[in-house]
């Protein structure tokens, strides 16, 4: 790559990065703008404006931001842990023995092929009868349900990577199936678990539709709060951006530190490296 | 782990003991099924129930009040003749093809660009992951404003450069704006899969080709692409599955207006705005079958491709 | 008579008159307010859902006073406006009884009538002044909006704020002698706010000019358009409603039995003809509107007029008058707006309103909260701080809004609303939206269907056919009153 090639390389790369980062930066800039600076046609105001913290103040004072944030944390982490447990067991079964000859695996994955909106109505009726509406427990169950398919698929790829010889050797040594799973296979698949955990956590964190329909006040996560700034006359972009700025921060932080894992997950271990 | 021990006889072999429940479950024969118990319970409650519910109501007419009226296959017949529904299918496929093609092209291009390690790679990678991780709803509301005619950042910048403001949400353009939002969010997915793929390709094959004097284009066409094809298929299958369900970008922007009514939006509208549960269930069952059919075919191709190159 | 006796008589007369005066003045100023709420026996917390917006931001602060005064906690769930219907409907239909106070758009009143209390029932049960006291207070509310909040003769909801429509024009342009002279010379009659469709068309044509041409004697720095309209798939059906009601038509004609109950809905040939006419005229008018109007919602249309690019908004929500006037003041310092009835004098109407759910566990407190929010004192807060327009006529005529400082733009709109309500009141009873359970659903359908011919996706005839067919389909599905096409 000559000099010229390098310049082209960086021009393209930086342009791509700009396209990616600019809208997200807009969120953080808008969070500190007053309404006049948001609804202006002055291009300078995009970047240069008077900082104000009124959006955040309003967010914390008039809306239950922190309780909602706590809800999000509890629901995401709990559902992720449970999903990992269920999916790990199932994925191991599929990977090692091809249980159900691929049909069960396909069925699991196809849960994501059903339009979520329509599943919501029978669930709503069921939840009403069970008193699960507006409870963190209820919403967590739903999140567990819709994350399991992808988690199973991901972990399937990771489990398949583990050589059978290892397990066979252990069996000869007298380990039971359970011990093999617990002591030999699981430790090897830890990076896969990490990746899956990240995805499930992020998707649960960002989930909107079910969170919106199944919670009201008590169990409301923060994504629903952010969407509620959408009015019939005006969208209150200030507090919305402020809420979004805080809400997406954890996912950004995770992304930064877990990059390698995330990318590995994206390639489902189908590619070595 | 030794609980009750009962003794029984098996003809010809003397005394053996009956296994405990735990031992049965973890025995060679049944362990693989035991592992699946939690999953099957989960699926049973959460998947079978709505499926049966919708299947039942798809043969009825019900607006959530009063009794459900049995109408046989009328809903299905109505669906196949429903111009708006067929239109939404057409729009959805349009979006599907545009997005997948663009994501692959951009992904492949960037993957080739980034195929070799470079300085600052960590930063680039970290930043490029961001669109995938931000809540789709937030992005939807965000882009709605960015594309706003008067106050949106995009038009403000265009105007300051002396260009004309573009009406992003016009009937002709709105669908492409939706595609843009989706591609913006998901192109890192294809990119990273293909980068990983490119980096793991065996170097000796390419070395041999170079020595033989093959042109870059030839190398790309005959070597790179075929070796990447399983990954490309993975991307295509997964993205297809997700794009048929595309919903979030619409929610904060056009809400199905200006000719952007996609499949899942139509289902949402029927079920949650009209509360026409009968017809909505019909649409849901239809789109489930459709998605499963498409994905099953693609899945089969994928499995063959994966099996072939492994 | 002796002098002393005369003095006695005069003295007694004065006392009597004075007392009467006291009593009457007391009556005249006695308006229902927070202090009139009696002790609420049921202390269970109540829940309500409200939409996003400055109006509720302000009112919620006063609801806290309600909590302190009555000892009943009010849990408020804030929700994005476009999804209020879905969320509440799911809860109502699933019978969860979660929302005690229900936030209702008037076109949903009939649809949800089964789930809502007749407020007079609650008044009879809980109000020490009974139904009479209730009636005395609400008689000050616009008769039009009260009727919109009734279903099958029962008052189900009380208005919170209204989005009644009107026509906004650039009053300064209409008052300008140069423009008046030019108009008269070209069209042969005086320039005044249009009262017929032809006048509107003429004036829209007259005011559509290119950059460089003159307006009020000054050269224009940009293109000028006669009208700004909301032809996007959002509120276009409200504009069309203004037109068809103004022509004496409707989406379906309401036919009643002798006792006043609903017999059937008929989409008459006249209705279809009027709809076609309205759509054709609307589309013709679009050529005098900026291109962006095809996908515009109210914010765009108002911004066009506020920034000086358009002269007339033939139909716009009156509640946006003050905002547009403020915008205009920033961009065109000597610009002024005027508000008039839409062509035909029957603008689209409705209000966001509040009702009490039958499944509520504390209807007593819910009733009083609804009364409090629709009371004079809280509606005043809504208008002064929340920036929305109340449906109370006594409030709109409050002198505070009609001082020289506040007359433009606020007082002007208030006077307009009171007048148009008085004129429109006789017709509202038969508006189809407010007599059918399918009102909300048909409304949703119309948003898209009526936009399509404007965007040239279908012809006007096809559009009329589609609207008629879908109206019949939806009404058959969701209402018990039979509907047919003539």
């Amino acid at each position: 790559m000559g000099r010229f090639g390098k310049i082209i390389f960086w021009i393209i790369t930086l342009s791509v990065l700009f396209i990616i980062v600019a809208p997200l930066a807009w969120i953080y800039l808008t969070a500190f703008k007053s309404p006049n600076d948001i609804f202006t046609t002055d291009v300078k105001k995009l970047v240069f404006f008077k900082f104000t913290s009124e959006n955040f103040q309003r967010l914390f004072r008039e809306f239950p931001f922190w309780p909602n944030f706590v809800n999000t944390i509890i629901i995401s982490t709990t559902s992720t842990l449970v999903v990992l447990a269920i999916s790990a067991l199932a994925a191991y079964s599929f990977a090692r023995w091809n249980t159900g000859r691929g049909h069960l695996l396909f069925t699991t994955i196809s849960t994501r092929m059903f339009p979520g909106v329509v599943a919501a109505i029978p669930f709503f009726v069921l939840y009403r009868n069970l008193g699960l509406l507006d409870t963190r427990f209820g919403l967590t169950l739903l999140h567990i349900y819709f994350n399991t398919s992808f988690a199973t698929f991901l972990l399937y790829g990771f489990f398949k990577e583990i050589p059978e010889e290892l397990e066979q050797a252990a069996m000869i040594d007298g380990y039971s199936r359970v011990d093999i799973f617990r002591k030999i296979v699981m430790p090897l698949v830890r990076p896969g678990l990490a990746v899956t955990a990240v995805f499930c956590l992020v998707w649960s964190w960002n989930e909107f539709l079910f969170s919106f329909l199944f919670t009201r006040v008590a169990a409301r996560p923060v994504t629903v709060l952010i969407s509620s700034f959408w009015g019939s006359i005006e969208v209150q972009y200030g507090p919305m951006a402020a809420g979004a700025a805080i809400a997406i921060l954890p996912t950004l932080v995770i992304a930064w530190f877990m990059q390698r894992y995330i990318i590995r997950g994206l390639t489902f271990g189908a590619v070595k490296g | 782990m030794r609980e009750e021990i009962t003794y029984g006889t098996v003809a010809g072999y003397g005394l053996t003991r009956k296994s405990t429940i735990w031992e049965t479950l973890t025995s060679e024969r049944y362990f693989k099924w035991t592992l699946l118990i939690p999953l099957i319970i989960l699926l049973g409650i959460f998947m079978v129930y709505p499926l049966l519910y919708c299947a039942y109501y798809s043969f009825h007419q019900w607006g959530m009040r009063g009794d459900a009226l049995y109408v046989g296959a009328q809903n299905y017949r109505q669906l196949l003749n429903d111009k708006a529904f067929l239109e939404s299918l057409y729009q959805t496929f349009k979006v599907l093809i545009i997005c997948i093609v663009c994501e692959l092209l951009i992904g492949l291009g960037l993957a080739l660009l980034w195929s070799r390690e470079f300085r600052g790679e960590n930063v680039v990678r970290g930043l490029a992951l961001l669109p995938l991780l931000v809540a789709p709803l937030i992005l939807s509301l965000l882009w709605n404003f960015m594309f706003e005619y008067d106050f949106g950042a995009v038009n403000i910048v265009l105007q300051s450069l002396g260009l004309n403001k573009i009406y992003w949400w016009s009937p002709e353009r709105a669908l492409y704006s939706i595609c843009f939002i989706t591609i913006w969010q998901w192109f890192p997915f294809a990119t990273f899969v293909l980068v990983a793929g490119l980096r793991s390709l065996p170097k000796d094959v390419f070395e041999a080709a170079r020595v033989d004097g093959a042109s870059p284009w030839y190398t790309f066409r005959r070597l790179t692409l075929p070796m990447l094809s399983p990954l490309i298929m993975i991307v295509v299958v997964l993205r297809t599955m997700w794009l048929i369900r595309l919903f979030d970008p619409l929610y904060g922007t056009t809400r199905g207006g200006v000719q952007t009514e996609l499949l899942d939006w139509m289902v949402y509208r029927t079920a949650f705005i009209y509360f026409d549960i009968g017809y909505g269930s019909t649409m849901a069952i239809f789109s489930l079958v459709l998605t499963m059919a498409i994905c099953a075919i693609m899945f089969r191709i994928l499995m063959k491709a994966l099996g072939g190159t492994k | 008579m002796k002098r002393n006796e005369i003095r006695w008589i005069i003295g007694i007369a004065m006392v009597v008159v004075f007392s009467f005066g006291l009593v009457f003045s007391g009556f005249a100023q006695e308006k229902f307010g927070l202090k009139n709420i009696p002790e609420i026996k049921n202390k269970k917390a109540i829940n309500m859902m409200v939409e996003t917006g400055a109006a509720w931001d302000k009112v919620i602060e006063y609801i806290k006073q309600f909590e302190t005064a009555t000892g009943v906690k009010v849990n408020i769930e804030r929700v994005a406006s476009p999804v209020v219907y879905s969320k509440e409907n799911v809860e109502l239909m699933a019978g969860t009884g979660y929302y005690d106070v229900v936030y209702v758009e008037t076109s949903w009143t009939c649809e949800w009538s089964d789930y809502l209390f007749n407020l007079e029932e609650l008044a009879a049960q809980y109000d020490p002044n009974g139904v009479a006291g209730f009636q005395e207070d609400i008689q000050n509310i616009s008769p039009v909006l009260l009727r919109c909040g009734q279903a099958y003769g029962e008052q189900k909801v009380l208005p919170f704020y209204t989005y009644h429509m009107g026509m906004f024009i650039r009053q300064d342009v209409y008052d300008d002698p140069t423009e008046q002279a030019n108009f008269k010379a070209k069209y042969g009659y005086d320039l005044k706010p249009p009262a017929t469709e032809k006048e509107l068309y003429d004036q829209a044509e007259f005011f559509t000019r290119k950059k460089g041409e003159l307006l009020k004697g000054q050269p224009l720095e940009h293109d000028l358009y006669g009208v700004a309209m909301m032809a996007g798939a959002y509120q276009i059906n409200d504009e069309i409603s203004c037109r068809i009601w103004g022509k004496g038509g409707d989406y379906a004609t309401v036919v009643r039995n002798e006792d006043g109950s609903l017999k059937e809905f008929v989409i008459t040939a006249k209705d279809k003809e009027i709809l076609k006419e309205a759509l054709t005229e609307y589309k013709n008018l679009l050529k005098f509107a900026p291109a962006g109007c095809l996908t515009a919602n109210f914010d765009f249309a108002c911004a066009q007029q506020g920034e000086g690019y358009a002269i007339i908004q033939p139909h716009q929500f009156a509640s946006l008058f003050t905002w547009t006037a403020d915008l205009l003041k920033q961009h065109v310092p000597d610009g002024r707006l005027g508000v008039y009835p839409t062509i035909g004098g029957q603008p689209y109407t409705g209000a966001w309103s509040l009702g009490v759910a039958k499944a509520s566990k504390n209807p007593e407190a819910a009733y009083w909260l609804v009364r409090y929010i629709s009371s004079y004192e809280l509606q005043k807060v809504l208008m002064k701080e929340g920036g929305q327009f109340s449906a109370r006529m006594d409030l709109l005529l409050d002198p505070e809004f009609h001082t020289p400082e506040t007359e433009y733009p606020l007082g002007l709109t208030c006077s307009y609303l009171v007048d148009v309500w008085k004129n429109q009141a006789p017709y509202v009873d038969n508006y189809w939206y407010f007599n059918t359970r399918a009102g909300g659903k048909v409304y949703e359908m119309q948003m898209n269907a009526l936009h399509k011919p404007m965007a040239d996706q279908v012809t006007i005839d096809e559009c009329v056919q589609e609207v008629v067919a879908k109206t019949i389909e939806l009404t058959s599905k969701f209402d018990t009153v039979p509907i047919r096409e003539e």
Side-chain angles (χ1 to χ4, degrees):
Chain A
M1 262 217 259
R3 209 54 209 290
F4 186 62
K6 256 202 157 167
I7 295 179
I8 299 276
F9 175 85
W10 279 108
I11 291 181
I12 300 182
T13 304
L14 288 175
S15 316
V16 169
L17 285 186
F18 178 74
I19 296 178
I20 290 179
V21 172
L24 298 175
W26 183 87
I27 296 181
Y28 284 92
L29 292 173
T30 306
F32 292 101
K33 285 187 192 170
S34 70
N36 282 336
D37 288 336
I38 298 176
F39 285 98
T40 173
T41 51
D42 189 350
V43 72
K44 282 197 307 303
K45 285 273 165 72
L46 276 179
V47 187
F48 302 108
F49 53 89
K50 196 154 106 59
F51 268 67
T52 165
S53 66
E54 68 177 88
N55 291 327
F56 287 96
Q57 285 174 22
R58 223 185 122 210
L59 188 67
F60 301 147
R61 196 182 50 222
E62 294 176 30
F63 298 90
F65 183 77
W66 295 112
N68 289 355
F69 197 68
V70 166
N71 281 342
T72 305
I73 295 178
I74 295 178
I75 294 173
S76 307
T77 45
T78 317
S79 69
T80 301
L81 290 172
V82 177
V83 169
L84 281 182
I86 299 181
S87 307
L89 296 177
Y92 180 61
S93 176
F94 290 132
R96 179 58 60 233
W97 291 284
N98 201 18
T99 326
R101 261 177 309 190
H103 292 135
L104 203 52
L105 178 61
F106 183 72
T107 311
T108 314
I109 297 174
S110 72
T111 55
R112 282 284 238 162
M113 297 182 196
F114 193 67
V117 278
V118 193
I121 295 199
F123 284 139
F124 197 87
V125 174
L126 182 67
Y127 270 39
R128 180 208 46 177
N129 293 335
L130 295 176
L132 287 174
L133 285 174
D134 204 21
T135 59
R136 287 194 284 250
F137 178 65
L139 190 60
T140 311
L141 285 179
L142 286 174
H143 282 206
I144 292 173
Y145 164 60
F146 77 66
N147 265 335
T148 308
S149 77
F150 190 67
T152 310
F153 183 63
L154 260 191
L155 286 174
Y156 172 77
F158 282 103
F159 277 116
K160 252 208 167 331
E161 265 187 13
I162 302 197
E164 280 213 52
E165 300 81 46
L166 264 165
E167 292 187 39
Q168 280 161 1
M171 275 189 73
I172 294 175
D173 282 348
Y175 281 80
S176 70
R177 274 292 176 194
V178 177
D179 283 339
I180 294 180
F181 182 68
R182 251 184 21 191
K183 296 185 183 158
I184 299 186
V185 177
M186 284 296 272
L188 284 177
V189 93
R190 248 188 236 145
L193 288 176
V195 174
T196 314
V198 169
F199 275 109
C200 292
L201 196 67
V202 169
W203 281 355
S204 178
W205 192 273
N206 292 338
E207 203 277 329
F208 173 71
L209 189 66
F210 283 102
S211 312
F212 167 65
L213 290 171
F214 286 82
T215 66
R216 304 159 182 141
V217 177
R220 179 177 272 201
V222 84
T223 41
V224 184
L225 175 66
I226 295 175
S227 80
S228 78
F229 286 109
W230 190 8
S232 56
I233 306 266
E234 17 92 58
V235 184
Q236 299 177 331
Y237 285 106
M240 183 162 78
I246 301 182
I248 66 181
L249 216 44
T251 45
L252 298 188
V253 167
I254 290 181
W256 192 263
F257 288 108
M258 303 278 286
Q259 295 177 33
R260 257 182 232 280
Y261 286 114
I262 295 177
I263 293 179
R264 264 209 84 196
L266 286 178
T267 65
F268 327 105
V271 170
K272 310 280 185 268
Chain B
M1 282 214 240
R2 284 180 158 266
E3 289 143 0
E4 296 168 12
I5 301 176
T6 50
Y7 286 82
T9 47
V10 174
Y13 289 86
L15 284 174
T16 54
R17 66 170 173 78
K18 249 191 166 142
S19 322
T20 64
I21 299 184
W22 177 259
E23 285 174 0
T24 321
L25 285 178
T26 58
S27 71
E28 195 57 36
R29 217 175 133 198
Y30 292 116
F31 189 52
K32 59 187 178 189
W33 294 105
T34 312
L35 288 170
L36 289 180
I37 291 178
L39 182 70
I40 293 182
I41 298 178
L42 186 73
L43 288 185
I45 303 175
F46 283 94
M47 180 173 149
V48 174
Y49 167 57
L51 205 55
L52 292 178
Y53 188 97
C54 284
Y56 175 74
Y57 279 113
S58 68
F59 293 107
H60 292 73
Q61 191 171 294
W62 190 48
M64 256 189 117
R65 65 162 82 231
D67 299 316
L69 180 69
Y70 179 72
V71 289
Q74 183 190 309
N75 283 337
Y76 287 94
R77 259 176 280 140
Q78 191 181 356
L79 193 68
L80 292 173
N81 286 326
D82 190 342
K83 265 201 335 184
F85 183 72
L86 297 173
E87 177 78 29
S88 75
L89 274 183
Y90 169 66
Q91 302 281 32
T92 309
F93 280 115
K94 215 163 135 181
V95 167
L96 188 77
I97 296 190
I98 295 178
C99 287
I100 290 190
V101 167
C102 287
E103 283 174 35
L104 276 181
L105 287 179
I106 298 178
L108 201 55
L110 285 179
L112 288 171
L113 193 70
W114 293 342
S115 56
R116 254 163 282 183
E117 305 209 352
F118 57 91
R119 231 161 29 121
E121 172 175 88
N122 277 333
V123 177
V124 171
R125 197 165 50 181
L127 290 177
L129 269 181
L130 295 185
L132 287 172
L133 299 173
V134 181
L137 173 84
I138 295 181
L139 289 180
S140 157
L141 290 169
L142 166 73
W143 280 108
N144 190 33
F145 193 62
M146 299 280 282
F147 278 146
E148 232 240 357
Y149 188 67
D150 275 319
F151 299 117
V154 177
N155 271 352
I156 291 182
V157 169
L158 283 180
Q159 214 180 12
S160 67
L161 294 176
L163 301 167
N164 278 328
K165 294 202 276 202
I166 301 182
Y167 213 111
W168 297 100
W169 300 115
S170 71
E172 308 89 38
R173 216 170 271 122
L175 195 70
Y176 301 106
S177 303
I178 299 280
C179 288
F180 177 84
I181 299 176
T182 312
I183 296 171
W184 179 88
Q185 187 177 12
W186 285 96
F187 80 86
F189 178 64
T191 310
F192 287 124
V193 171
L194 293 174
V195 165
L198 280 175
R199 290 204 184 166
S200 71
L201 292 180
K203 302 230 182 353
D204 38 347
V205 180
F206 288 94
E207 193 59 36
R210 198 175 63 86
V211 162
D212 283 348
S215 71
W217 176 243
Y218 181 85
T219 326
F220 180 69
R221 220 166 47 116
R222 287 300 178 81
L223 291 175
T224 322
L225 269 186
M227 288 201 259
L228 280 182
S229 60
L231 284 180
I232 296 182
M233 279 308 294
I234 290 184
V235 170
V236 171
V237 171
L238 281 176
R239 288 303 290 142
T240 304
M241 198 165 76
W242 293 331
L243 278 170
I244 298 186
R245 300 269 76 86
L246 191 65
F247 180 80
D248 291 306
L250 290 177
Y251 189 83
T253 57
T254 63
R255 296 183 72 81
V258 278
Q259 287 183 286
T260 59
E261 183 147 49
L262 300 182
L263 184 58
D264 259 28
W265 182 264
M266 183 138 198
V267 179
Y268 171 75
R269 188 157 67 88
T270 311
F272 266 100
I273 298 181
Y274 290 160
F275 283 90
D276 189 352
I277 309 296
Y279 200 49
S281 300
T282 317
M283 281 193 211
I285 302 276
F286 183 89
S287 63
L288 171 69
V289 171
L290 182 71
T291 315
M292 282 177 76
I294 295 180
C295 288
I297 298 175
M298 293 185 130
F299 206 61
R300 200 148 297 214
I301 303 178
L302 171 67
M303 282 296 149
K304 257 197 221 144
L306 264 186
T309 52
K310 270 239 163 153
Chain C
M1 276 191 189
K2 294 227 188 87
R3 278 242 317 263
N4 266 347
E5 281 171 9
I6 293 176
R7 264 201 235 122
W8 264 114
I9 290 171
I10 292 177
I12 290 174
M14 281 176 65
V15 170
V16 168
V17 169
F18 189 53
S19 328
F20 264 26
L22 262 183
V23 168
F24 272 125
S25 65
F27 263 12
Q29 278 151 21
E30 178 75 39
K31 287 219 179 285
F32 175 77
L34 186 60
K35 59 183 183 335
N36 300 102
I37 300 181
E39 200 208 317
I40 297 181
K41 297 199 185 53
N42 188 340
K43 298 287 189 197
K44 266 213 187 77
I46 56 178
N47 304 312
M48 71 187 283
M49 171 200 286
V50 307
E51 57 163 348
T52 307
W56 281 109
D57 287 343
K58 294 297 168 203
V59 168
I60 285 179
E61 292 168 25
Y62 285 81
I63 292 185
K64 297 207 178 72
Q65 293 181 16
F66 175 89
E67 287 183 320
T68 337
T70 62
V72 177
K73 179 136 188 2
V74 181
N75 295 321
I76 299 188
E77 185 184 336
R78 305 209 64 171
V79 160
S81 310
V83 295
V84 169
Y85 177 77
S86 302
K87 193 84 198 287
E88 281 187 326
N89 207 11
V90 168
E91 300 268 357
L92 286 173
M93 286 184 160
T96 57
Y98 180 74
Y99 296 116
D100 301 276
V101 175
V102 186
Y103 196 47
V104 184
E105 238 212 47
T106 40
S107 56
W108 312 336
T109 316
C110 280
E111 192 183 330
W112 286 352
S113 56
D114 292 339
Y115 306 120
L116 299 173
F117 269 111
N118 178 355
L119 291 174
E120 287 190 352
E121 253 177 60
L122 293 176
Q125 206 177 349
Y126 299 116
D127 198 331
N129 295 326
V131 178
F134 174 69
Q135 286 292 341
E136 193 195 328
D137 188 28
I138 69 169
Q139 71 181 343
N140 295 301
I141 298 180
S142 153
V144 169
L145 296 170
L146 275 183
R147 170 57 187 87
C148 295
Q150 288 172 8
Y152 312 112
E154 297 184 357
Q155 191 71 45
K156 297 285 184 178
V157 298
L158 292 181
F160 175 58
Y161 72 79
T162 174
Y163 36 83
H164 207 98
M165 280 182 134
M167 170 160 25
F168 298 178
I169 63 169
R170 280 282 299 274
Q171 193 67 52
D172 59 307
V173 171
Y174 274 69
D175 291 340
D176 182 75
T178 326
E179 297 294 337
Q180 285 177 348
N182 289 341
F183 184 81
K184 178 106 186 244
K186 186 163 177 199
Y187 293 95
Y189 59 92
D190 287 329
L191 177 65
K192 49 180 185 22
T196 67
E197 190 59 36
K198 173 171 188 321
E199 287 175 20
L200 176 59
Y201 186 88
D202 288 342
Q203 290 167 20
E205 182 184 52
F206 179 65
F207 287 119
T208 304
R209 302 173 190 175
K210 290 267 161 228
K211 177 172 165 174
E213 292 176 41
L214 301 175
L215 177 72
K216 297 196 329 183
Q218 302 294 320
L220 287 166
E221 291 171 30
H222 48 71
D223 287 346
L224 185 69
Y225 295 93
V227 292
M229 312 206 287
M230 309 182 276
Y234 305 103
Q235 313 284 170
I236 184 177
N237 51 340
D238 295 339
E239 298 195 276
I240 304 291
S241 298
C242 294
R243 289 171 169 267
I244 65 174
W245 289 348
K247 291 175 192 284
D250 205 339
Y251 297 106
T253 305
V254 175
V255 178
R256 294 178 190 275
N257 292 318
E258 261 142 36
D259 61 356
S261 61
L262 291 172
K263 182 172 171 206
E264 59 170 357
F265 301 131
V266 185
I267 304 184
T268 61
K270 179 173 167 236
D271 289 333
K272 288 188 275 193
E273 193 51 49
I274 288 181
L275 178 59
K276 179 171 172 179
E277 215 177 271
L279 288 170
T280 317
E281 287 168 358
Y282 187 95
K283 191 161 182 190
N284 277 344
L285 210 53
L286 270 178
K287 57 176 177 286
F288 304 124
C293 285
L294 262 187
T295 49
N297 200 348
F298 53 77
D299 49 354
F300 182 79
C302 286
Q304 291 297 302
Q305 191 178 38
E307 292 177 15
Y309 298 125
I311 299 293
I312 310 171
Q313 284 195 76
H315 348 76
Q316 190 48 275
F317 301 108
S319 47
L320 297 171
F321 189 76
T322 39
W323 179 50
T324 317
D326 283 340
L327 262 185
L328 188 64
K329 201 153 45 145
Q330 291 171 30
H331 288 93
V332 182
D334 58 344
R336 272 178 85 92
L337 288 179
V339 59
Y340 296 89
T342 57
I343 310 275
Q346 296 191 46
Y348 175 70
T349 180
W352 275 105
S353 314
L354 297 161
V356 178
K358 275 190 181 154
S360 162
K361 310 242 176 10
N362 190 351
E364 185 184 358
Y367 168 76
W368 287 116
L369 184 58
V370 171
R371 289 291 308 279
Y372 175 53
I373 297 179
S374 47
S375 69
Y376 193 94
E377 59 185 61
L378 204 51
Q379 289 281 302
K380 198 167 195 182
V381 168
L382 171 70
M383 280 194 67
K384 287 178 71 172
E385 300 176 43
Q388 290 286 5
F389 280 86
S390 168
R392 290 188 73 107
M393 297 190 298
D394 50 355
L395 183 62
L396 293 183
L397 293 175
D398 188 311
E400 211 178 311
F401 300 130
H402 295 275
T403 67
E405 294 89 40
T406 56
E407 179 65 22
Y408 177 82
L410 190 57
L412 196 63
T413 324
C414 296
S415 314
Y416 161 73
L417 284 173
V418 174
D419 286 336
V420 81
W421 284 334
K422 293 207 176 104
N423 291 328
Q424 206 173 352
Y427 303 100
V428 182
D429 201 27
N430 285 323
Y431 287 162
W432 181 71
Y433 276 143
F434 308 115
N435 280 301
T436 172
R437 287 174 195 267
K441 320 257 199 254
V442 171
Y443 186 94
E444 280 280 335
M445 175 274 294
Q446 289 170 340
M447 278 163 64
N448 204 11
L450 292 174
H451 155 78
K452 291 205 276 203
M454 308 309 159
D456 281 323
Q457 284 175 249
V458 298
T459 66
I460 290 188
D461 284 316
E462 284 171 351
C463 170
V464 172
Q465 272 174 8
E466 187 188 345
V467 169
V468 168
K470 286 229 171 97
T471 306
I472 294 183
E473 183 195 321
L474 287 168
T475 314
S476 312
K477 255 188 184 170
F478 294 109
D479 202 348
T480 46
V481 177
I483 182 169
R484 64 184 173 85
E485 187 183 346
E486 198 174 68

